[in-house]
PDB file of all heavy atoms in Angstrom:
ATOM      1  N   VAL N1188      16.405 -13.516  16.666  1.00 92.00           N
ATOM      2  CA  VAL N1188      16.475 -12.390  17.601  1.00 92.00           C
ATOM      3  C   VAL N1188      17.177 -11.215  16.923  1.00 92.00           C
ATOM      4  O   VAL N1188      16.741 -10.060  17.031  1.00 92.00           O
ATOM      5  CB  VAL N1188      17.214 -12.803  18.891  1.00 92.00           C
ATOM      6  CG1 VAL N1188      17.589 -11.579  19.710  1.00 92.00           C
ATOM      7  CG2 VAL N1188      16.309 -13.720  19.709  1.00 92.00           C
ATOM      8  N   ALA N1189      18.283 -11.511  16.205  1.00 92.00           N
ATOM      9  CA  ALA N1189      19.022 -10.430  15.546  1.00 92.00           C
ATOM     10  C   ALA N1189      18.160  -9.757  14.494  1.00 92.00           C
ATOM     11  O   ALA N1189      18.187  -8.513  14.350  1.00 92.00           O
ATOM     12  CB  ALA N1189      20.288 -11.003  14.920  1.00 92.00           C
ATOM     13  N   GLU N1190      17.380 -10.555  13.737  1.00 89.00           N
ATOM     14  CA  GLU N1190      16.492  -9.967  12.714  1.00 89.00           C
ATOM     15  C   GLU N1190      15.449  -9.073  13.357  1.00 89.00           C
ATOM     16  O   GLU N1190      15.155  -7.971  12.855  1.00 89.00           O
ATOM     17  CB  GLU N1190      15.853 -11.073  11.903  1.00 89.00           C
ATOM     18  CG  GLU N1190      16.809 -11.849  11.021  1.00 89.00           C
ATOM     19  CD  GLU N1190      16.171 -13.057  10.371  1.00 89.00           C
ATOM     20  OE1 GLU N1190      14.958 -13.258  10.603  1.00 89.00           O
ATOM     21  OE2 GLU N1190      16.870 -13.795   9.653  1.00 89.00           O
ATOM     22  N   ARG N1191      14.864  -9.554  14.458  1.00 87.00           N
ATOM     23  CA  ARG N1191      13.838  -8.760  15.124  1.00 87.00           C
ATOM     24  C   ARG N1191      14.407  -7.477  15.722  1.00 87.00           C
ATOM     25  O   ARG N1191      13.776  -6.418  15.658  1.00 87.00           O
ATOM     26  CB  ARG N1191      13.172  -9.616  16.209  1.00 87.00           C
ATOM     27  CG  ARG N1191      12.087  -8.910  16.982  1.00 87.00           C
ATOM     28  CD  ARG N1191      10.938  -8.502  16.098  1.00 87.00           C
ATOM     29  NE  ARG N1191       9.864  -7.855  16.865  1.00 87.00           N
ATOM     30  CZ  ARG N1191       9.024  -6.975  16.370  1.00 87.00           C
ATOM     31  NH1 ARG N1191       9.131  -6.589  15.089  1.00 87.00           N
ATOM     32  NH2 ARG N1191       8.087  -6.455  17.110  1.00 87.00           N
ATOM     33  N   ILE N1192      15.622  -7.568  16.292  1.00 88.00           N
ATOM     34  CA  ILE N1192      16.290  -6.358  16.832  1.00 88.00           C
ATOM     35  C   ILE N1192      16.500  -5.352  15.735  1.00 88.00           C
ATOM     36  O   ILE N1192      16.237  -4.154  15.893  1.00 88.00           O
ATOM     37  CB  ILE N1192      17.621  -6.743  17.503  1.00 88.00           C
ATOM     38  CG1 ILE N1192      17.355  -7.503  18.809  1.00 88.00           C
ATOM     39  CG2 ILE N1192      18.464  -5.507  17.781  1.00 88.00           C
ATOM     40  CD1 ILE N1192      18.603  -8.055  19.467  1.00 88.00           C
ATOM     41  N   ALA N1193      16.999  -5.846  14.577  1.00 86.00           N
ATOM     42  CA  ALA N1193      17.236  -4.934  13.445  1.00 86.00           C
ATOM     43  C   ALA N1193      15.930  -4.282  12.998  1.00 86.00           C
ATOM     44  O   ALA N1193      15.909  -3.070  12.670  1.00 86.00           O
ATOM     45  CB  ALA N1193      17.885  -5.708  12.293  1.00 86.00           C
ATOM     46  N   GLU N1194      14.855  -5.070  13.006  1.00 78.00           N
ATOM     47  CA  GLU N1194      13.558  -4.528  12.577  1.00 78.00           C
ATOM     48  C   GLU N1194      13.081  -3.472  13.553  1.00 78.00           C
ATOM     49  O   GLU N1194      12.607  -2.400  13.130  1.00 78.00           O
ATOM     50  CB  GLU N1194      12.523  -5.667  12.473  1.00 78.00           C
ATOM     51  CG  GLU N1194      11.188  -5.214  11.934  1.00 78.00           C
ATOM     52  CD  GLU N1194      10.203  -6.346  11.781  1.00 78.00           C
ATOM     53  OE1 GLU N1194      10.617  -7.513  11.942  1.00 78.00           O
ATOM     54  OE2 GLU N1194       9.015  -6.077  11.508  1.00 78.00           O
ATOM     55  N   LEU N1195      13.223  -3.728  14.848  1.00 80.00           N
ATOM     56  CA  LEU N1195      12.746  -2.770  15.849  1.00 80.00           C
ATOM     57  C   LEU N1195      13.633  -1.544  15.913  1.00 80.00           C
ATOM     58  O   LEU N1195      13.141  -0.425  16.082  1.00 80.00           O
ATOM     59  CB  LEU N1195      12.662  -3.446  17.231  1.00 80.00           C
ATOM     60  CG  LEU N1195      11.583  -4.495  17.398  1.00 80.00           C
ATOM     61  CD1 LEU N1195      11.710  -5.188  18.749  1.00 80.00           C
ATOM     62  CD2 LEU N1195      10.202  -3.878  17.273  1.00 80.00           C
ATOM     63  N   GLU N1196      14.950  -1.737  15.796  1.00 82.00           N
ATOM     64  CA  GLU N1196      15.854  -0.609  15.848  1.00 82.00           C
ATOM     65  C   GLU N1196      15.665   0.302  14.640  1.00 82.00           C
ATOM     66  O   GLU N1196      15.875   1.513  14.704  1.00 82.00           O
ATOM     67  CB  GLU N1196      17.296  -1.078  15.927  1.00 82.00           C
ATOM     68  CG  GLU N1196      17.654  -1.687  17.287  1.00 82.00           C
ATOM     69  CD  GLU N1196      19.069  -2.211  17.374  1.00 82.00           C
ATOM     70  OE1 GLU N1196      19.674  -2.459  16.282  1.00 82.00           O
ATOM     71  OE2 GLU N1196      19.598  -2.369  18.471  1.00 82.00           O
ATOM     72  N   GLY N1197      15.270  -0.321  13.504  1.00 79.00           N
ATOM     73  CA  GLY N1197      15.035   0.478  12.296  1.00 79.00           C
ATOM     74  C   GLY N1197      13.581   0.725  12.046  1.00 79.00           C
ATOM     75  O   GLY N1197      13.143   0.863  10.886  1.00 79.00           O
ATOM     76  N   ALA N1198      12.760   0.781  13.128  1.00 77.00           N
ATOM     77  CA  ALA N1198      11.307   0.885  12.977  1.00 77.00           C
ATOM     78  C   ALA N1198      10.902   2.123  12.210  1.00 77.00           C
ATOM     79  O   ALA N1198      10.046   2.087  11.336  1.00 77.00           O
ATOM     80  CB  ALA N1198      10.625   0.846  14.347  1.00 77.00           C
ATOM     81  N   ALA N1199      11.523   3.247  12.529  1.00 74.00           N
ATOM     82  CA  ALA N1199      11.136   4.507  11.878  1.00 74.00           C
ATOM     83  C   ALA N1199      11.388   4.436  10.386  1.00 74.00           C
ATOM     84  O   ALA N1199      10.530   4.811   9.579  1.00 74.00           O
ATOM     85  CB  ALA N1199      11.907   5.671  12.502  1.00 74.00           C
ATOM     86  N   GLU N1200      12.574   3.947  10.027  1.00 81.00           N
ATOM     87  CA  GLU N1200      12.884   3.810   8.606  1.00 81.00           C
ATOM     88  C   GLU N1200      11.972   2.812   7.948  1.00 81.00           C
ATOM     89  O   GLU N1200      11.493   3.017   6.805  1.00 81.00           O
ATOM     90  CB  GLU N1200      14.341   3.392   8.417  1.00 81.00           C
ATOM     91  CG  GLU N1200      15.366   4.419   8.879  1.00 81.00           C
ATOM     92  CD  GLU N1200      15.592   4.381  10.386  1.00 81.00           C
ATOM     93  OE1 GLU N1200      14.973   3.524  11.069  1.00 81.00           O
ATOM     94  OE2 GLU N1200      16.368   5.217  10.876  1.00 81.00           O
ATOM     95  N   ARG N1201      11.698   1.725   8.680  1.00 81.00           N
ATOM     96  CA  ARG N1201      10.817   0.685   8.111  1.00 81.00           C
ATOM     97  C   ARG N1201       9.391   1.210   7.935  1.00 81.00           C
ATOM     98  O   ARG N1201       8.732   0.934   6.923  1.00 81.00           O
ATOM     99  CB  ARG N1201      10.818  -0.525   9.049  1.00 81.00           C
ATOM    100  CG  ARG N1201      10.036  -1.723   8.536  1.00 81.00           C
ATOM    101  CD  ARG N1201      10.716  -2.336   7.360  1.00 81.00           C
ATOM    102  NE  ARG N1201      10.013  -3.515   6.911  1.00 81.00           N
ATOM    103  CZ  ARG N1201      10.076  -3.982   5.675  1.00 81.00           C
ATOM    104  NH1 ARG N1201      10.810  -3.342   4.772  1.00 81.00           N
ATOM    105  NH2 ARG N1201       9.455  -5.066   5.311  1.00 81.00           N
ATOM    106  N   VAL N1202       8.915   1.985   8.893  1.00 82.00           N
ATOM    107  CA  VAL N1202       7.583   2.558   8.792  1.00 82.00           C
ATOM    108  C   VAL N1202       7.482   3.462   7.576  1.00 82.00           C
ATOM    109  O   VAL N1202       6.518   3.416   6.796  1.00 82.00           O
ATOM    110  CB  VAL N1202       7.239   3.348  10.079  1.00 82.00           C
ATOM    111  CG1 VAL N1202       6.023   4.257   9.837  1.00 82.00           C
ATOM    112  CG2 VAL N1202       6.920   2.390  11.221  1.00 82.00           C
ATOM    113  N   ALA N1203       8.518   4.279   7.365  1.00 86.00           N
ATOM    114  CA  ALA N1203       8.512   5.179   6.217  1.00 86.00           C
ATOM    115  C   ALA N1203       8.513   4.392   4.908  1.00 86.00           C
ATOM    116  O   ALA N1203       7.775   4.745   3.961  1.00 86.00           O
ATOM    117  CB  ALA N1203       9.721   6.119   6.275  1.00 86.00           C
ATOM    118  N   MET N1204       9.269   3.329   4.845  1.00 88.00           N
ATOM    119  CA  MET N1204       9.327   2.525   3.630  1.00 88.00           C
ATOM    120  C   MET N1204       7.991   1.810   3.368  1.00 88.00           C
ATOM    121  O   MET N1204       7.467   1.837   2.235  1.00 88.00           O
ATOM    122  CB  MET N1204      10.454   1.493   3.730  1.00 88.00           C
ATOM    123  CG  MET N1204      10.654   0.665   2.484  1.00 88.00           C
ATOM    124  SD  MET N1204      12.002  -0.541   2.670  1.00 88.00           S
ATOM    125  CE  MET N1204      11.258  -1.658   3.863  1.00 88.00           C
ATOM    126  N   LEU N1205       7.412   1.234   4.450  1.00 89.00           N
ATOM    127  CA  LEU N1205       6.148   0.529   4.270  1.00 89.00           C
ATOM    128  C   LEU N1205       5.007   1.506   3.928  1.00 89.00           C
ATOM    129  O   LEU N1205       4.124   1.188   3.141  1.00 89.00           O
ATOM    130  CB  LEU N1205       5.799  -0.230   5.555  1.00 89.00           C
ATOM    131  CG  LEU N1205       6.660  -1.452   5.854  1.00 89.00           C
ATOM    132  CD1 LEU N1205       6.258  -2.053   7.198  1.00 89.00           C
ATOM    133  CD2 LEU N1205       6.547  -2.515   4.771  1.00 89.00           C
ATOM    134  N   GLU N1206       5.045   2.688   4.525  1.00 90.00           N
ATOM    135  CA  GLU N1206       4.012   3.666   4.235  1.00 90.00           C
ATOM    136  C   GLU N1206       4.093   4.132   2.779  1.00 90.00           C
ATOM    137  O   GLU N1206       3.060   4.332   2.113  1.00 90.00           O
ATOM    138  CB  GLU N1206       4.138   4.867   5.183  1.00 90.00           C
ATOM    139  CG  GLU N1206       3.099   5.945   4.963  1.00 90.00           C
ATOM    140  CD  GLU N1206       1.656   5.455   5.112  1.00 90.00           C
ATOM    141  OE1 GLU N1206       1.424   4.528   5.890  1.00 90.00           O
ATOM    142  OE2 GLU N1206       0.788   6.021   4.422  1.00 90.00           O
ATOM    143  N   ALA N1207       5.337   4.293   2.283  1.00 93.00           N
ATOM    144  CA  ALA N1207       5.488   4.670   0.869  1.00 93.00           C
ATOM    145  C   ALA N1207       4.925   3.568  -0.035  1.00 93.00           C
ATOM    146  O   ALA N1207       4.248   3.858  -1.048  1.00 93.00           O
ATOM    147  CB  ALA N1207       6.969   4.912   0.577  1.00 93.00           C
ATOM    148  N   GLU N1208       5.196   2.314   0.354  1.00 93.00           N
ATOM    149  CA  GLU N1208       4.652   1.208  -0.482  1.00 93.00           C
ATOM    150  C   GLU N1208       3.137   1.155  -0.382  1.00 93.00           C
ATOM    151  O   GLU N1208       2.444   0.905  -1.369  1.00 93.00           O
ATOM    152  CB  GLU N1208       5.257  -0.120   0.002  1.00 93.00           C
ATOM    153  CG  GLU N1208       4.834  -1.291  -0.852  1.00 93.00           C
ATOM    154  CD  GLU N1208       5.463  -2.612  -0.433  1.00 93.00           C
ATOM    155  OE1 GLU N1208       6.198  -2.616   0.573  1.00 93.00           O
ATOM    156  OE2 GLU N1208       5.187  -3.623  -1.096  1.00 93.00           O
ATOM    157  N   ARG N1209       2.616   1.428   0.828  1.00 92.00           N
ATOM    158  CA  ARG N1209       1.157   1.429   1.002  1.00 92.00           C
ATOM    159  C   ARG N1209       0.506   2.492   0.135  1.00 92.00           C
ATOM    160  O   ARG N1209      -0.544   2.254  -0.510  1.00 92.00           O
ATOM    161  CB  ARG N1209       0.772   1.659   2.469  1.00 92.00           C
ATOM    162  CG  ARG N1209      -0.689   1.381   2.788  1.00 92.00           C
ATOM    163  CD  ARG N1209      -1.019   1.740   4.213  1.00 92.00           C
ATOM    164  NE  ARG N1209      -1.169   3.178   4.366  1.00 92.00           N
ATOM    165  CZ  ARG N1209      -2.304   3.837   4.126  1.00 92.00           C
ATOM    166  NH1 ARG N1209      -3.382   3.219   3.714  1.00 92.00           N
ATOM    167  NH2 ARG N1209      -2.348   5.152   4.294  1.00 92.00           N
ATOM    168  N   GLN N1210       1.101   3.678   0.067  1.00 92.00           N
ATOM    169  CA  GLN N1210       0.530   4.751  -0.766  1.00 92.00           C
ATOM    170  C   GLN N1210       0.564   4.368  -2.239  1.00 92.00           C
ATOM    171  O   GLN N1210      -0.383   4.670  -2.987  1.00 92.00           O
ATOM    172  CB  GLN N1210       1.315   6.043  -0.510  1.00 92.00           C
ATOM    173  CG  GLN N1210       1.067   6.658   0.872  1.00 92.00           C
ATOM    174  CD  GLN N1210      -0.391   7.051   1.102  1.00 92.00           C
ATOM    175  OE1 GLN N1210      -1.097   7.426   0.157  1.00 92.00           O
ATOM    176  NE2 GLN N1210      -0.828   6.949   2.343  1.00 92.00           N
ATOM    177  N   ARG N1211       1.648   3.693  -2.632  1.00 94.00           N
ATOM    178  CA  ARG N1211       1.741   3.273  -4.041  1.00 94.00           C
ATOM    179  C   ARG N1211       0.645   2.248  -4.383  1.00 94.00           C
ATOM    180  O   ARG N1211      -0.059   2.368  -5.392  1.00 94.00           O
ATOM    181  CB  ARG N1211       3.122   2.683  -4.315  1.00 94.00           C
ATOM    182  CG  ARG N1211       3.313   2.192  -5.741  1.00 94.00           C
ATOM    183  CD  ARG N1211       4.700   1.629  -5.946  1.00 94.00           C
ATOM    184  NE  ARG N1211       4.913   0.422  -5.155  1.00 94.00           N
ATOM    185  CZ  ARG N1211       4.478  -0.782  -5.481  1.00 94.00           C
ATOM    186  NH1 ARG N1211       3.785  -0.966  -6.604  1.00 94.00           N
ATOM    187  NH2 ARG N1211       4.739  -1.829  -4.708  1.00 94.00           N
ATOM    188  N   ILE N1212       0.488   1.239  -3.501  1.00 94.00           N
ATOM    189  CA  ILE N1212      -0.533   0.217  -3.725  1.00 94.00           C
ATOM    190  C   ILE N1212      -1.925   0.824  -3.659  1.00 94.00           C
ATOM    191  O   ILE N1212      -2.839   0.475  -4.435  1.00 94.00           O
ATOM    192  CB  ILE N1212      -0.397  -0.922  -2.694  1.00 94.00           C
ATOM    193  CG1 ILE N1212       0.964  -1.610  -2.815  1.00 94.00           C
ATOM    194  CG2 ILE N1212      -1.501  -1.950  -2.892  1.00 94.00           C
ATOM    195  CD1 ILE N1212       1.207  -2.336  -4.100  1.00 94.00           C
ATOM    196  N   LEU N1213      -2.108   1.810  -2.751  1.00 93.00           N
ATOM    197  CA  LEU N1213      -3.396   2.462  -2.603  1.00 93.00           C
ATOM    198  C   LEU N1213      -3.768   3.210  -3.885  1.00 93.00           C
ATOM    199  O   LEU N1213      -4.920   3.184  -4.319  1.00 93.00           O
ATOM    200  CB  LEU N1213      -3.375   3.425  -1.434  1.00 93.00           C
ATOM    201  CG  LEU N1213      -4.702   4.029  -0.973  1.00 93.00           C
ATOM    202  CD1 LEU N1213      -5.647   2.919  -0.500  1.00 93.00           C
ATOM    203  CD2 LEU N1213      -4.500   5.056   0.118  1.00 93.00           C
ATOM    204  N   ALA N1214      -2.766   3.863  -4.481  1.00 92.00           N
ATOM    205  CA  ALA N1214      -3.022   4.575  -5.739  1.00 92.00           C
ATOM    206  C   ALA N1214      -3.392   3.597  -6.861  1.00 92.00           C
ATOM    207  O   ALA N1214      -4.322   3.854  -7.657  1.00 92.00           O
ATOM    208  CB  ALA N1214      -1.777   5.389  -6.148  1.00 92.00           C
ATOM    209  N   GLU N1215      -2.719   2.454  -6.897  1.00 94.00           N
ATOM    210  CA  GLU N1215      -3.072   1.432  -7.914  1.00 94.00           C
ATOM    211  C   GLU N1215      -4.488   0.920  -7.670  1.00 94.00           C
ATOM    212  O   GLU N1215      -5.268   0.776  -8.615  1.00 94.00           O
ATOM    213  CB  GLU N1215      -2.070   0.268  -7.829  1.00 94.00           C
ATOM    214  CG  GLU N1215      -0.662   0.614  -8.298  1.00 94.00           C
ATOM    215  CD  GLU N1215       0.250  -0.614  -8.229  1.00 94.00           C
ATOM    216  OE1 GLU N1215      -0.266  -1.691  -7.886  1.00 94.00           O
ATOM    217  OE2 GLU N1215       1.438  -0.445  -8.498  1.00 94.00           O
ATOM    218  N   ALA N1216      -4.839   0.671  -6.395  1.00 94.00           N
ATOM    219  CA  ALA N1216      -6.158   0.159  -6.068  1.00 94.00           C
ATOM    220  C   ALA N1216      -7.234   1.187  -6.437  1.00 94.00           C
ATOM    221  O   ALA N1216      -8.289   0.832  -6.945  1.00 94.00           O
ATOM    222  CB  ALA N1216      -6.234  -0.195  -4.583  1.00 94.00           C
ATOM    223  N   ALA N1217      -6.968   2.472  -6.149  1.00 93.00           N
ATOM    224  CA  ALA N1217      -7.910   3.497  -6.484  1.00 93.00           C
ATOM    225  C   ALA N1217      -8.158   3.564  -7.984  1.00 93.00           C
ATOM    226  O   ALA N1217      -9.293   3.724  -8.458  1.00 93.00           O
ATOM    227  CB  ALA N1217      -7.433   4.862  -5.960  1.00 93.00           C
ATOM    228  N   GLY N1218      -7.060   3.409  -8.768  1.00 94.00           N
ATOM    229  CA  GLY N1218      -7.201   3.414 -10.240  1.00 94.00           C
ATOM    230  C   GLY N1218      -8.036   2.250 -10.713  1.00 94.00           C
ATOM    231  O   GLY N1218      -8.920   2.403 -11.568  1.00 94.00           O
ATOM    232  N   LEU N1219      -7.811   1.054 -10.132  1.00 95.00           N
ATOM    233  CA  LEU N1219      -8.603  -0.102 -10.512  1.00 95.00           C
ATOM    234  C   LEU N1219     -10.050   0.056 -10.095  1.00 95.00           C
ATOM    235  O   LEU N1219     -10.970  -0.334 -10.838  1.00 95.00           O
ATOM    236  CB  LEU N1219      -7.993  -1.365  -9.880  1.00 95.00           C
ATOM    237  CG  LEU N1219      -6.651  -1.822 -10.431  1.00 95.00           C
ATOM    238  CD1 LEU N1219      -6.038  -2.876  -9.513  1.00 95.00           C
ATOM    239  CD2 LEU N1219      -6.800  -2.371 -11.829  1.00 95.00           C
ATOM    240  N   ALA N1220     -10.282   0.666  -8.901  1.00 94.00           N
ATOM    241  CA  ALA N1220     -11.660   0.877  -8.437  1.00 94.00           C
ATOM    242  C   ALA N1220     -12.394   1.842  -9.376  1.00 94.00           C
ATOM    243  O   ALA N1220     -13.596   1.657  -9.637  1.00 94.00           O
ATOM    244  CB  ALA N1220     -11.634   1.424  -7.017  1.00 94.00           C
ATOM    245  N   ARG N1221     -11.692   2.832  -9.904  1.00 95.00           N
ATOM    246  CA  ARG N1221     -12.338   3.754 -10.843  1.00 95.00           C
ATOM    247  C   ARG N1221     -12.672   3.055 -12.143  1.00 95.00           C
ATOM    248  O   ARG N1221     -13.747   3.277 -12.722  1.00 95.00           O
ATOM    249  CB  ARG N1221     -11.427   4.974 -11.095  1.00 95.00           C
ATOM    250  CG  ARG N1221     -11.307   5.872  -9.888  1.00 95.00           C
ATOM    251  CD  ARG N1221     -10.587   7.168 -10.196  1.00 95.00           C
ATOM    252  NE  ARG N1221     -10.487   7.992  -9.008  1.00 95.00           N
ATOM    253  CZ  ARG N1221     -11.484   8.731  -8.519  1.00 95.00           C
ATOM    254  NH1 ARG N1221     -12.648   8.759  -9.152  1.00 95.00           N
ATOM    255  NH2 ARG N1221     -11.319   9.443  -7.437  1.00 95.00           N
ATOM    256  N   GLN N1222     -11.754   2.233 -12.638  1.00 95.00           N
ATOM    257  CA  GLN N1222     -12.064   1.470 -13.865  1.00 95.00           C
ATOM    258  C   GLN N1222     -13.263   0.535 -13.641  1.00 95.00           C
ATOM    259  O   GLN N1222     -14.134   0.426 -14.506  1.00 95.00           O
ATOM    260  CB  GLN N1222     -10.823   0.638 -14.271  1.00 95.00           C
ATOM    261  CG  GLN N1222      -9.627   1.453 -14.700  1.00 95.00           C
ATOM    262  CD  GLN N1222      -8.484   0.546 -15.083  1.00 95.00           C
ATOM    263  OE1 GLN N1222      -8.625  -0.334 -15.935  1.00 95.00           O
ATOM    264  NE2 GLN N1222      -7.320   0.746 -14.472  1.00 95.00           N
ATOM    265  N   LEU N1223     -13.268  -0.090 -12.468  1.00 95.00           N
ATOM    266  CA  LEU N1223     -14.373  -0.999 -12.159  1.00 95.00           C
ATOM    267  C   LEU N1223     -15.694  -0.227 -12.051  1.00 95.00           C
ATOM    268  O   LEU N1223     -16.738  -0.673 -12.557  1.00 95.00           O
ATOM    269  CB  LEU N1223     -14.053  -1.701 -10.836  1.00 95.00           C
ATOM    270  CG  LEU N1223     -14.942  -2.875 -10.403  1.00 95.00           C
ATOM    271  CD1 LEU N1223     -14.989  -3.944 -11.464  1.00 95.00           C
ATOM    272  CD2 LEU N1223     -14.419  -3.472  -9.099  1.00 95.00           C
ATOM    273  N   HIS N1224     -15.644   0.933 -11.422  1.00 94.00           N
ATOM    274  CA  HIS N1224     -16.859   1.770 -11.289  1.00 94.00           C
ATOM    275  C   HIS N1224     -17.368   2.190 -12.645  1.00 94.00           C
ATOM    276  O   HIS N1224     -18.577   2.108 -12.903  1.00 94.00           O
ATOM    277  CB  HIS N1224     -16.511   2.994 -10.425  1.00 94.00           C
ATOM    278  CG  HIS N1224     -17.611   3.990 -10.342  1.00 94.00           C
ATOM    279  ND1 HIS N1224     -18.752   3.786  -9.580  1.00 94.00           N
ATOM    280  CD2 HIS N1224     -17.800   5.199 -10.951  1.00 94.00           C
ATOM    281  CE1 HIS N1224     -19.549   4.828  -9.696  1.00 94.00           C
ATOM    282  NE2 HIS N1224     -19.015   5.696 -10.529  1.00 94.00           N
ATOM    283  N   GLN N1225     -16.456   2.589 -13.543  1.00 94.00           N
ATOM    284  CA  GLN N1225     -16.893   3.005 -14.859  1.00 94.00           C
ATOM    285  C   GLN N1225     -17.485   1.846 -15.645  1.00 94.00           C
ATOM    286  O   GLN N1225     -18.522   1.994 -16.321  1.00 94.00           O
ATOM    287  CB  GLN N1225     -15.694   3.581 -15.628  1.00 94.00           C
ATOM    288  CG  GLN N1225     -16.035   4.182 -16.993  1.00 94.00           C
ATOM    289  CD  GLN N1225     -17.058   5.308 -16.905  1.00 94.00           C
ATOM    290  OE1 GLN N1225     -17.054   6.078 -15.968  1.00 94.00           O
ATOM    291  NE2 GLN N1225     -17.958   5.336 -17.864  1.00 94.00           N
ATOM    292  N   ALA N1226     -16.855   0.671 -15.549  1.00 94.00           N
ATOM    293  CA  ALA N1226     -17.378  -0.516 -16.261  1.00 94.00           C
ATOM    294  C   ALA N1226     -18.770  -0.872 -15.728  1.00 94.00           C
ATOM    295  O   ALA N1226     -19.646  -1.289 -16.485  1.00 94.00           O
ATOM    296  CB  ALA N1226     -16.412  -1.679 -16.094  1.00 94.00           C
ATOM    297  N   ARG N1227     -18.959  -0.709 -14.426  1.00 94.00           N
ATOM    298  CA  ARG N1227     -20.269  -1.014 -13.855  1.00 94.00           C
ATOM    299  C   ARG N1227     -21.306  -0.007 -14.276  1.00 94.00           C
ATOM    300  O   ARG N1227     -22.481  -0.340 -14.508  1.00 94.00           O
ATOM    301  CB  ARG N1227     -20.160  -1.043 -12.326  1.00 94.00           C
ATOM    302  CG  ARG N1227     -19.481  -2.313 -11.804  1.00 94.00           C
ATOM    303  CD  ARG N1227     -19.179  -2.190 -10.329  1.00 94.00           C
ATOM    304  NE  ARG N1227     -18.674  -3.472  -9.775  1.00 94.00           N
ATOM    305  CZ  ARG N1227     -17.989  -3.568  -8.654  1.00 94.00           C
ATOM    306  NH1 ARG N1227     -17.748  -2.479  -7.909  1.00 94.00           N
ATOM    307  NH2 ARG N1227     -17.557  -4.740  -8.228  1.00 94.00           N
ATOM    308  N   ARG N1228     -20.919   1.242 -14.355  1.00 94.00           N
ATOM    309  CA  ARG N1228     -21.839   2.276 -14.851  1.00 94.00           C
ATOM    310  C   ARG N1228     -22.328   1.932 -16.255  1.00 94.00           C
ATOM    311  O   ARG N1228     -23.504   2.050 -16.581  1.00 94.00           O
ATOM    312  CB  ARG N1228     -21.150   3.636 -14.843  1.00 94.00           C
ATOM    313  CG  ARG N1228     -20.988   4.257 -13.470  1.00 94.00           C
ATOM    314  CD  ARG N1228     -22.261   4.941 -13.051  1.00 94.00           C
ATOM    315  NE  ARG N1228     -22.074   5.734 -11.828  1.00 94.00           N
ATOM    316  CZ  ARG N1228     -23.045   6.326 -11.203  1.00 94.00           C
ATOM    317  NH1 ARG N1228     -24.289   6.233 -11.662  1.00 94.00           N
ATOM    318  NH2 ARG N1228     -22.830   7.053 -10.107  1.00 94.00           N
ATOM    319  N   GLU N1229     -21.371   1.548 -17.114  1.00 93.00           N
ATOM    320  CA  GLU N1229     -21.733   1.195 -18.485  1.00 93.00           C
ATOM    321  C   GLU N1229     -22.629  -0.040 -18.500  1.00 93.00           C
ATOM    322  O   GLU N1229     -23.612  -0.102 -19.258  1.00 93.00           O
ATOM    323  CB  GLU N1229     -20.453   0.945 -19.304  1.00 93.00           C
ATOM    324  CG  GLU N1229     -19.610   2.200 -19.486  1.00 93.00           C
ATOM    325  CD  GLU N1229     -18.271   1.901 -20.130  1.00 93.00           C
ATOM    326  OE1 GLU N1229     -18.016   0.709 -20.452  1.00 93.00           O
ATOM    327  OE2 GLU N1229     -17.483   2.846 -20.306  1.00 93.00           O
ATOM    328  N   ALA N1230     -22.282  -1.043 -17.648  1.00 92.00           N
ATOM    329  CA  ALA N1230     -23.118  -2.247 -17.595  1.00 92.00           C
ATOM    330  C   ALA N1230     -24.516  -1.927 -17.072  1.00 92.00           C
ATOM    331  O   ALA N1230     -25.505  -2.493 -17.535  1.00 92.00           O
ATOM    332  CB  ALA N1230     -22.450  -3.300 -16.692  1.00 92.00           C
TER     333      ALA N1230
END
């Protein structure tokens, strides 16, 4: 219960942190997708 309260009370901060991580992973995924697209074009 205490962990869940802390998570809900810090929702805004948590959202900001998770969104920053999502953008970082999204950028990595986009880079990999471009490499994959280029490799497929060559194939």
